[in-house]
Amino acid sequence: MDKNIFPVDMHDRLKSMPEFMGFAVPIHRASTIKFNTVEEFINRRDRLFDGFSYGLYGTPIIRYMEQEIAKIEGGEYCLATPSGLSAVNLPMLALLKSGDHIIIAQNAYGTTREFCKNFLSRIGVRHTLIPADATSIQQSLEPATRLVILESPGSYTMEIQDMQRIAYEAHQHGALISVDNAWGLGLTQLFKFGIDIVCNALSKYASGHSDVCMGSVTVNDRALYERLKTTSFMLGEGVSSDSASLVLRGLQTLEVRLSEHAKRALVIADWLDKQPMVERVICPFRPGDRQHGLFSQYFRGGNGLLSVILKKATDSRVIEMVEGFKMFKIGASWGGTHSLVAPVRGNTFSWLDMRERESWLLRLHIGLESFEALQHDLEEGFATLCAQKIPEPGIAPR
Ligand SMILES: *Cc1c(COP(=O)(O)O)cnc(C)c1O
């Protein structure tokens, strides 16, 4: 028996096989990458941007996926990161130094705001929060302002900033502008509006099945790309080829999933709007929403995410309602096929008006389960909230 069970001649043997024409991009798993010469090994850093030097810094399937994301975002260069959070934070780590100042939208991803408050402040970078629905940053610009970070529609409360105008103001000032486009993947191309850096959470609709954590940073400028890539290299950040494969699979159905999620979300938003216990439905792609006008300037469609602010009710009643849902599971990180509810106390959002802060906000992700079951779940939930007696099945047919 051949004791040599290691595939030392793998590359030669694969090359000698007939062409294999499957539909999936082959998965390349690697830490080590082999070099043919001493010189190639010594100069392997030269391959950081365009070649392959170590599994952590890219494999063919990861580069392939990055190119697909760049196409969707409408940019030139994409860099995969381990999470959406790391994608949003990477530009700050790459571009800022002690003494710098940044501007960030109040409704940006919570952990990113925490990063500014508890991490950047320690290294001497100050930040200013701007209103969730800011249309200008003129008042907040300082001589030291280097970077502006927006998120539209923002997390939970989904306000939209006037990104194009703010990008113009940032550029006049010599600052760069980065947008967390987690909500808008596949629904907008933000470079058209002057955005320099577009970050995304591929954990959401890109992968689409709640089984991957990944993020992306896309830019048009080669020097900016190299700076981001060098920073992620120094931080030891990378993604797995298996995860890239799952993202590529998800992307194939992104368009049809988004439109089906959105179709359902609109019907549910209309229904929620008629419920007596609902203070406000937040669904920017729905005509009539407070920010639908601004939304339509930037986005061409919706998805399955919406928020609902409840009228004042006792905590126990709201908790009973949320825990009683059968279809809507309690959880974060939307974008999969399952329906989710994320309950948050209104007073978490200091920018909402007094009345809205008194109650609860439920962020719903409308999944792809039986639509009738989802509707029934919400009907029962709101009946609980109103403390009406729910008819027993079989006694009073619905
Ligand atoms: C989910 C999300 C993130 C974080 O993405 P992860 O991959 O879960 O780290 C960042 N920003 C926004 C707006 C998000 O919705």
Side-chain angles (χ1 to χ4, degrees):
M1 199 184 102
D2 186 356
K3 288 209 185 88
N4 192 358
I5 55 166
F6 301 106
V8 284
D9 61 348
M10 171 186 70
H11 296 284
D12 292 336
R13 251 198 278 167
L14 282 173
K15 259 186 239 160
S16 74
M17 287 181 189
E19 198 176 2
F20 179 77
M21 303 278 276
F23 279 106
V25 182
I27 296 173
H28 306 82
R29 294 198 183 106
S31 51
T32 302
I33 287 171
K34 292 180 280 181
F35 297 87
N36 289 318
T37 67
V38 171
E39 195 181 336
E40 278 176 12
F41 178 72
I42 288 171
N43 295 326
R44 64 190 182 281
R45 270 288 293 277
D46 296 349
R47 302 179 176 196
L48 183 63
F49 307 127
D50 300 303
F52 301 111
S53 59
Y54 186 56
L56 186 62
Y57 310 130
T59 64
I61 190 170
I62 293 166
R63 292 281 154 81
Y64 191 103
M65 184 209 74
E66 289 172 337
Q67 289 167 8
E68 290 300 301
I69 298 296
K71 271 196 271 174
I72 293 169
E73 302 275 38
E76 278 293 317
Y77 307 100
C78 172
L79 174 62
T81 67
S83 66
L85 178 60
S86 63
V88 187
N89 293 351
L90 181 65
M92 297 192 250
L93 291 166
L95 298 170
L96 301 172
K97 61 178 189 317
S98 175
D100 287 347
H101 170 256
I102 66 165
I103 292 172
I104 179 165
Q106 202 165 27
N107 60 351
Y109 191 64
T111 318
T112 295
R113 279 181 285 137
E114 207 174 311
F115 177 79
C116 296
K117 194 162 152 242
N118 297 334
F119 183 88
L120 289 184
S121 63
R122 273 204 283 126
I123 59 166
V125 174
R126 290 170 309 110
H127 71 281
T128 300
L129 291 173
I130 53 165
D133 58 355
T135 55
S136 167
I137 51 166
Q138 218 62 263
Q139 302 290 315
S140 308
L141 283 165
E142 296 182 13
T145 307
R146 298 277 169 271
L147 188 63
V148 178
I149 295 174
L150 304 181
E151 184 184 312
S152 288
S155 290
Y156 288 97
T157 48
M158 298 191 199
E159 296 87 351
I160 294 162
Q161 300 98 40
D162 195 344
M163 295 181 273
Q164 188 164 24
R165 161 120 186 251
I166 292 173
Y168 176 80
E169 292 173 351
H171 290 160
Q172 289 290 304
H173 192 80
L176 291 175
I177 177 161
S178 175
V179 176
D180 182 341
N181 191 34
W183 192 96
L185 181 81
L187 300 170
T188 185
Q189 296 194 326
L190 293 173
F191 296 102
K192 283 203 288 273
F193 304 108
I195 305 306
D196 302 297
I197 304 169
V198 177
C199 305
N200 228 308
L202 306 182
S203 319
K204 310 282 169 60
Y205 286 115
S207 51
H209 296 77
S210 314
D211 52 6
V212 179
C213 287
M214 205 191 291
S216 64
V217 186
T218 305
V219 295
N220 265 334
D221 182 83
R222 173 76 189 194
L224 188 52
Y225 165 73
E226 291 187 2
R227 186 143 176 187
L228 292 164
K229 179 77 185 178
T230 304
T231 305
S232 88
F233 162 78
M234 287 189 289
L235 291 170
E237 287 190 349
V239 307
S240 85
S241 294
D242 295 84
S243 297
S245 174
L246 290 172
V247 171
L248 282 170
R249 174 192 289 215
L251 290 180
Q252 295 177 40
T253 54
L254 177 65
E255 191 82 30
V256 285
R257 281 185 288 112
L258 283 176
S259 75
E260 182 61 27
H261 282 290
K263 200 172 83 189
R264 291 157 167 248
L266 268 186
V267 177
I268 285 177
D270 284 342
W271 181 85
L272 285 169
D273 208 21
K274 296 192 205 97
Q275 302 312 303
M277 281 306 287
V278 166
E279 178 70 29
R280 179 159 66 104
V281 176
I282 308 174
C283 182
F285 64 98
R286 181 169 172 252
D289 187 273
R290 252 181 220 187
Q291 286 208 299
H292 187 66
L294 202 52
F295 175 88
S296 307
Q297 285 181 34
Y298 292 106
F299 302 91
R300 64 173 175 84
N303 59 29
L305 202 64
L306 58 93
S307 288
V308 53
I309 297 174
L310 302 176
K311 288 230 162 77
K312 196 167 159 54
T314 60
D315 281 359
S316 61
R317 188 67 75 190
V318 175
I319 290 166
E320 190 187 340
M321 170 201 200
V322 170
E323 292 181 350
F325 283 133
K326 293 183 184 62
M327 304 298 294
F328 287 84
K329 306 296 183 194
I330 303 170
S333 204
W334 41 272
T337 55
H338 294 270
S339 293
L340 298 174
V341 53
V344 190
R345 280 178 211 279
N347 61 13
T348 311
F349 310 106
S350 59
W351 56 93
L352 295 180
D353 66 35
M354 268 260 281
R355 200 183 156 84
E356 296 188 335
R357 287 206 306 271
E358 280 182 345
S359 183
W360 286 75
L361 178 149
L362 306 182
R363 187 184 63 192
L364 301 178
H365 178 249
I366 311 303
L368 302 178
E369 304 97 333
S370 149
F371 189 68
E372 288 67 35
L374 295 182
Q375 246 174 341
H376 181 62
D377 213 21
L378 289 172
E379 282 164 16
E380 296 214 314
F382 275 87
T384 303
L385 191 63
C386 294
Q388 288 162 2
K389 181 99 185 76
I390 306 166
E392 293 293 327
I395 298 169
R398 288 195 325 114

